[in-house]
Amino acid sequence: MSSGAIDIEEFENANADDFEERTDTERIVLFLDEHDDRAWKAASIAERLGLETDAVSAILSRLKERGLVRHKRPYWAITDDEERLQSAYRLHRLHETADEQYGEERLEDIQTDEMEDVQ
């Protein structure tokens, strides 16, 4: 991802607005990846992306649990593990493609009596 490039097949098959519809998590990861020479405060990321600081902080915490960002209070930076970042991006794209083809899964639809309730 840090190369700022996508696969040409993905580019050719995309609509013009496909690249504009990013989730907040995607926007944060892309921002940090594009600015991988700096570490940022959550409030600065929020300001740059037009998001709420609390939302950015929550997303960054989840990304840290997945090993996709580094954190030294109060700063955040993208992981330096390029392979992990690329692997996460590929997995994310696979999920998006599956959702587009088959529709999003809802836990309520697939839950069985043997499964524990998740609240």
Side-chain angles (χ1 to χ4, degrees):
M1 274 176 47
S2 64
S3 68
I6 61 171
D7 180 70
I8 195 66
E9 188 174 330
E10 180 181 354
F11 172 80
E12 293 295 341
N13 293 324
N15 295 322
D17 59 347
D18 282 352
F19 304 114
E20 298 299 321
E21 297 180 30
R22 302 273 187 209
T23 66
D24 292 346
T25 301
E26 290 172 315
R27 292 177 62 209
I28 291 168
V29 170
L30 288 170
F31 174 82
L32 290 173
D33 194 38
E34 290 168 0
H35 300 91
D36 63 354
D37 61 332
R38 305 190 59 81
W40 300 82
K41 290 183 178 181
S44 297
I45 297 169
E47 182 179 324
R48 292 274 186 116
L49 297 178
L51 301 170
E52 295 292 325
T53 301
D54 290 343
V56 170
S57 294
I59 291 168
L60 288 168
S61 293
R62 287 193 302 271
L63 290 169
K64 182 181 177 209
E65 289 173 8
R66 294 179 55 205
L68 298 174
V69 297
R70 297 174 282 164
H71 181 54
K72 291 183 183 177
R73 276 188 206 269
Y75 295 98
W76 297 87
I78 197 72
T79 182
D80 56 359
D81 185 343
E82 188 69 24
E83 187 175 319
R84 183 175 190 83
L85 189 59
Q86 288 176 354
S87 177
Y89 180 72
R90 283 191 300 272
L91 181 61
H92 173 71
R93 292 296 303 152
L94 285 172
H95 283 272
E96 277 188 342
T97 301
D99 285 347
E100 289 168 9
Q101 288 181 337
Y102 306 110
E104 289 186 39
E105 275 188 348
R106 293 182 19 196
L107 182 59
E108 305 84 46
D109 296 340
I110 61 173
Q111 193 166 11
T112 66
D113 292 336
E114 291 81 31
M115 292 175 68
E116 188 176 313
D117 280 336
V118 178
Q119 304 276 340

